[in-house]
Amino acid sequence: MICRHILNALVLAFVTAISVPAQAKNPYQDSEGVTLTNTRVIYTGSARNGITYTLENNTPRLYLLQSRVLRYGESTSEDESPHAKKVPFIVLPPLTRFEPGNAITLRIRQTQNSLPQDRESIFLLALNAIPAQKDSNTQQPLLQMSTQNNLKLFYRPGALPPMDEAKVTEQLRFWRRGNMLTVLNSAPFYVTFSSLYVGKTAIDQKNTRMVAPFSEQSWPLPASSRGDVRWQLLTDQGRPGKMVTRPAG
C-alpha cells in the first residue's frame, strides 16, 4: 500500500508540473463532469472481498483522482497528522489517472475487524479530483483545483438484520420538552432526516440531520408550532423515503 506521504508527493508533483492553479471548481456539481453513482456508500460485514464504487468522467479532460477513507468529522489536514488514528479501510487504487470519457471502479476493503458488531459505524469516502486543461490563449497547461467530496460510508455489521425503513421508523420516538423537539433512535442504524416538521413548521436541522444508533437528538421549536410530527428519512440510495406522520409524545 502506498503511504500517504508518497501520495501527497505525487499530487504535489502533478500540480507543480502543470503550472499555476486557476479558479476552483467542483466537477461533481457539473452536469457534464464527474458522475457519482451514489451519495452514500454501504459496506456490509458480509463483504469478504470488499465493495466497489464507480465514478464516470463525462468530460474531455484528464483528472488525477485521489481516494481514501477518513474518520467521520475528520478533516484532510487532521488526517495528515502522524498521530491520526488509522481507519480500518483502504481504497484501491488510492491514486490514479482518470481518463476522459472513462469510468473508474474503486474497491474499498476492510483491513481489520475492530468495529462494533451491534450497530453501524460511520466513515467518509473522500474523493479529490484535480482536473487539468490548457489555456486557449497561451496553450499552457492550467490546473483547476476541485473541492473535497466526502461521501458517508456506513459499515453495517453482518449480524444486523436487513435495513428496513418501516421497521426503523417504528424504533423512533418523538416528544416535546418545552420548546425543544427530541427524537430517540432505538435502531442499530444511523437515521438521516430528509425533512422534519411539527404541524406546518419545518424544523431547522442545519448540520444535525443525522441521529446515531441508540442515541437521541434535539432541535429548537418555535413556541407557536403545533400539530403532529411528520418526517422523511433518507434511504440507502440517498433519496427521500416515505412521509410518516405521528403524534409527538
mmCIF file of all heavy atoms in Angstrom, residues 152-173:
data_model
loop_
_atom_site.group_PDB
_atom_site.id
_atom_site.type_symbol
_atom_site.label_atom_id
_atom_site.label_comp_id
_atom_site.label_asym_id
_atom_site.label_seq_id
_atom_site.Cartn_x
_atom_site.Cartn_y
_atom_site.Cartn_z
ATOM 1 N N LYS A 152 -20.682 9.807 2.804
ATOM 2 C CA LYS A 152 -20.838 8.993 4.009
ATOM 3 C C LYS A 152 -20.642 7.519 3.655
ATOM 4 O O LYS A 152 -21.266 7.002 2.739
ATOM 5 C CB LYS A 152 -22.204 9.226 4.641
ATOM 6 C CG LYS A 152 -22.382 10.607 5.271
ATOM 7 C CD LYS A 152 -23.727 10.690 5.975
ATOM 8 C CE LYS A 152 -23.895 12.027 6.684
ATOM 9 N NZ LYS A 152 -24.059 13.134 5.732
ATOM 10 N N LEU A 153 -19.791 6.870 4.421
ATOM 11 C CA LEU A 153 -19.540 5.438 4.287
ATOM 12 C C LEU A 153 -20.017 4.768 5.576
ATOM 13 O O LEU A 153 -19.467 5.022 6.654
ATOM 14 C CB LEU A 153 -18.050 5.168 4.056
ATOM 15 C CG LEU A 153 -17.585 3.718 4.165
ATOM 16 C CD1 LEU A 153 -18.236 2.848 3.099
ATOM 17 C CD2 LEU A 153 -16.058 3.631 4.050
ATOM 18 N N PHE A 154 -21.052 3.941 5.463
ATOM 19 C CA PHE A 154 -21.611 3.254 6.622
ATOM 20 C C PHE A 154 -21.131 1.803 6.646
ATOM 21 O O PHE A 154 -21.296 1.079 5.659
ATOM 22 C CB PHE A 154 -23.139 3.277 6.587
ATOM 23 C CG PHE A 154 -23.738 4.661 6.677
ATOM 24 C CD1 PHE A 154 -24.059 5.365 5.532
ATOM 25 C CD2 PHE A 154 -23.970 5.250 7.908
ATOM 26 C CE1 PHE A 154 -24.608 6.632 5.599
ATOM 27 C CE2 PHE A 154 -24.519 6.527 7.993
ATOM 28 C CZ PHE A 154 -24.836 7.220 6.842
ATOM 29 N N TYR A 155 -20.541 1.402 7.766
ATOM 30 C CA TYR A 155 -20.206 -0.004 7.953
ATOM 31 C C TYR A 155 -21.383 -0.661 8.664
ATOM 32 O O TYR A 155 -21.763 -0.269 9.774
ATOM 33 C CB TYR A 155 -18.939 -0.167 8.794
ATOM 34 C CG TYR A 155 -18.691 -1.612 9.164
ATOM 35 C CD1 TYR A 155 -18.217 -2.520 8.218
ATOM 36 C CD2 TYR A 155 -18.974 -2.076 10.446
ATOM 37 C CE1 TYR A 155 -18.009 -3.855 8.549
ATOM 38 C CE2 TYR A 155 -18.764 -3.405 10.784
ATOM 39 C CZ TYR A 155 -18.292 -4.284 9.831
ATOM 40 O OH TYR A 155 -18.102 -5.608 10.152
ATOM 41 N N ARG A 156 -21.975 -1.658 8.013
ATOM 42 C CA ARG A 156 -23.159 -2.334 8.545
ATOM 43 C C ARG A 156 -22.780 -3.772 8.871
ATOM 44 O O ARG A 156 -22.601 -4.599 7.964
ATOM 45 C CB ARG A 156 -24.291 -2.281 7.512
ATOM 46 C CG ARG A 156 -25.618 -2.848 7.987
ATOM 47 C CD ARG A 156 -26.714 -2.520 6.979
ATOM 48 N NE ARG A 156 -26.933 -1.083 6.901
ATOM 49 C CZ ARG A 156 -27.655 -0.495 5.943
ATOM 50 N NH1 ARG A 156 -28.193 -1.218 4.984
ATOM 51 N NH2 ARG A 156 -27.823 0.822 5.948
ATOM 52 N N PRO A 157 -22.637 -4.124 10.156
ATOM 53 C CA PRO A 157 -22.207 -5.479 10.542
ATOM 54 C C PRO A 157 -23.138 -6.548 9.981
ATOM 55 O O PRO A 157 -24.352 -6.352 9.862
ATOM 56 C CB PRO A 157 -22.264 -5.448 12.072
ATOM 57 C CG PRO A 157 -22.147 -3.996 12.425
ATOM 58 C CD PRO A 157 -22.832 -3.254 11.323
ATOM 59 N N GLY A 158 -22.562 -7.688 9.661
ATOM 60 C CA GLY A 158 -23.342 -8.786 9.107
ATOM 61 C C GLY A 158 -24.363 -9.341 10.078
ATOM 62 O O GLY A 158 -25.346 -9.969 9.674
ATOM 63 N N ALA A 159 -24.147 -9.122 11.401
ATOM 64 C CA ALA A 159 -25.073 -9.639 12.408
ATOM 65 C C ALA A 159 -26.372 -8.841 12.486
ATOM 66 O O ALA A 159 -27.347 -9.302 13.082
ATOM 67 C CB ALA A 159 -24.393 -9.638 13.775
ATOM 68 N N LEU A 160 -26.407 -7.649 11.889
ATOM 69 C CA LEU A 160 -27.618 -6.830 11.938
ATOM 70 C C LEU A 160 -28.667 -7.369 10.963
ATOM 71 O O LEU A 160 -28.325 -7.934 9.921
ATOM 72 C CB LEU A 160 -27.301 -5.382 11.579
ATOM 73 C CG LEU A 160 -26.407 -4.596 12.532
ATOM 74 C CD1 LEU A 160 -26.322 -3.138 12.100
ATOM 75 C CD2 LEU A 160 -26.888 -4.704 13.970
ATOM 76 N N PRO A 161 -29.942 -7.159 11.277
ATOM 77 C CA PRO A 161 -30.987 -7.553 10.325
ATOM 78 C C PRO A 161 -30.921 -6.651 9.101
ATOM 79 O O PRO A 161 -30.312 -5.577 9.144
ATOM 80 C CB PRO A 161 -32.283 -7.326 11.119
ATOM 81 C CG PRO A 161 -31.933 -6.271 12.119
ATOM 82 C CD PRO A 161 -30.499 -6.537 12.492
ATOM 83 N N PRO A 162 -31.542 -7.054 7.995
ATOM 84 C CA PRO A 162 -31.558 -6.195 6.811
ATOM 85 C C PRO A 162 -32.183 -4.837 7.138
ATOM 86 O O PRO A 162 -33.115 -4.756 7.938
ATOM 87 C CB PRO A 162 -32.415 -6.980 5.815
ATOM 88 C CG PRO A 162 -32.305 -8.401 6.253
ATOM 89 C CD PRO A 162 -32.195 -8.347 7.750
ATOM 90 N N MET A 163 -31.656 -3.791 6.536
ATOM 91 C CA MET A 163 -32.194 -2.449 6.741
ATOM 92 C C MET A 163 -33.610 -2.388 6.176
ATOM 93 O O MET A 163 -33.838 -2.681 5.007
ATOM 94 C CB MET A 163 -31.304 -1.424 6.039
ATOM 95 C CG MET A 163 -31.850 -0.007 6.052
ATOM 96 S SD MET A 163 -31.969 0.655 7.716
ATOM 97 C CE MET A 163 -32.239 2.385 7.374
ATOM 98 N N ASP A 164 -34.582 -2.036 7.030
ATOM 99 C CA ASP A 164 -35.979 -1.929 6.632
ATOM 100 C C ASP A 164 -36.496 -0.588 7.122
ATOM 101 O O ASP A 164 -36.588 -0.353 8.327
ATOM 102 C CB ASP A 164 -36.786 -3.080 7.234
ATOM 103 C CG ASP A 164 -38.224 -3.106 6.751
ATOM 104 O OD1 ASP A 164 -38.952 -2.118 6.977
ATOM 105 O OD2 ASP A 164 -38.624 -4.115 6.140
ATOM 106 N N GLU A 165 -36.832 0.295 6.186
ATOM 107 C CA GLU A 165 -37.244 1.651 6.549
ATOM 108 C C GLU A 165 -38.447 1.643 7.485
ATOM 109 O O GLU A 165 -38.502 2.416 8.455
ATOM 110 C CB GLU A 165 -37.565 2.442 5.284
ATOM 111 C CG GLU A 165 -37.920 3.904 5.547
ATOM 112 C CD GLU A 165 -38.302 4.644 4.275
ATOM 113 O OE1 GLU A 165 -38.103 4.085 3.179
ATOM 114 O OE2 GLU A 165 -38.801 5.771 4.378
ATOM 115 N N ALA A 166 -39.421 0.779 7.218
ATOM 116 C CA ALA A 166 -40.624 0.725 8.048
ATOM 117 C C ALA A 166 -40.293 0.295 9.478
ATOM 118 O O ALA A 166 -40.815 0.856 10.451
ATOM 119 C CB ALA A 166 -41.647 -0.220 7.427
ATOM 120 N N LYS A 167 -39.403 -0.694 9.629
ATOM 121 C CA LYS A 167 -39.038 -1.162 10.966
ATOM 122 C C LYS A 167 -38.221 -0.114 11.717
ATOM 123 O O LYS A 167 -38.378 0.062 12.929
ATOM 124 C CB LYS A 167 -38.263 -2.474 10.865
ATOM 125 C CG LYS A 167 -39.123 -3.644 10.403
ATOM 126 C CD LYS A 167 -38.324 -4.935 10.352
ATOM 127 C CE LYS A 167 -39.199 -6.104 9.910
ATOM 128 N NZ LYS A 167 -38.442 -7.381 9.843
ATOM 129 N N VAL A 168 -37.345 0.579 11.003
ATOM 130 C CA VAL A 168 -36.566 1.647 11.639
ATOM 131 C C VAL A 168 -37.490 2.765 12.096
ATOM 132 O O VAL A 168 -37.322 3.321 13.198
ATOM 133 C CB VAL A 168 -35.501 2.191 10.670
ATOM 134 C CG1 VAL A 168 -34.849 3.454 11.233
ATOM 135 C CG2 VAL A 168 -34.434 1.132 10.410
ATOM 136 N N THR A 169 -38.485 3.087 11.285
ATOM 137 C CA THR A 169 -39.449 4.131 11.647
ATOM 138 C C THR A 169 -40.145 3.805 12.957
ATOM 139 O O THR A 169 -40.377 4.681 13.793
ATOM 140 C CB THR A 169 -40.495 4.284 10.518
ATOM 141 O OG1 THR A 169 -39.846 4.813 9.353
ATOM 142 C CG2 THR A 169 -41.612 5.230 10.929
ATOM 143 N N GLU A 170 -40.472 2.522 13.164
ATOM 144 C CA GLU A 170 -41.141 2.113 14.401
ATOM 145 C C GLU A 170 -40.237 2.250 15.618
ATOM 146 O O GLU A 170 -40.715 2.242 16.755
ATOM 147 C CB GLU A 170 -41.625 0.664 14.271
ATOM 148 C CG GLU A 170 -42.760 0.477 13.284
ATOM 149 C CD GLU A 170 -43.973 1.318 13.653
ATOM 150 O OE1 GLU A 170 -44.333 1.339 14.853
ATOM 151 O OE2 GLU A 170 -44.550 1.956 12.752
ATOM 152 N N GLN A 171 -38.941 2.376 15.401
ATOM 153 C CA GLN A 171 -37.992 2.487 16.513
ATOM 154 C C GLN A 171 -37.613 3.935 16.819
ATOM 155 O O GLN A 171 -36.683 4.176 17.593
ATOM 156 C CB GLN A 171 -36.738 1.656 16.202
ATOM 157 C CG GLN A 171 -37.019 0.160 16.152
ATOM 158 C CD GLN A 171 -35.787 -0.649 15.805
ATOM 159 O OE1 GLN A 171 -35.406 -0.775 14.646
ATOM 160 N NE2 GLN A 171 -35.140 -1.202 16.816
ATOM 161 N N LEU A 172 -38.340 4.872 16.226
ATOM 162 C CA LEU A 172 -38.125 6.288 16.507
ATOM 163 C C LEU A 172 -39.210 6.789 17.450
ATOM 164 O O LEU A 172 -40.392 6.499 17.252
ATOM 165 C CB LEU A 172 -38.143 7.114 15.213
ATOM 166 C CG LEU A 172 -37.089 6.756 14.154
ATOM 167 C CD1 LEU A 172 -37.240 7.664 12.935
ATOM 168 C CD2 LEU A 172 -35.682 6.876 14.725
ATOM 169 N N ARG A 173 -38.833 7.544 18.466
ATOM 170 C CA ARG A 173 -39.771 8.121 19.417
ATOM 171 C C ARG A 173 -39.542 9.637 19.502
ATOM 172 O O ARG A 173 -38.398 10.079 19.670
ATOM 173 C CB ARG A 173 -39.590 7.490 20.807
ATOM 174 C CG ARG A 173 -39.896 6.001 20.855
ATOM 175 C CD ARG A 173 -41.387 5.732 20.697
ATOM 176 N NE ARG A 173 -41.684 4.304 20.761
ATOM 177 C CZ ARG A 173 -41.723 3.498 19.708
ATOM 178 N NH1 ARG A 173 -41.483 3.995 18.486
ATOM 179 N NH2 ARG A 173 -42.008 2.225 19.859
#
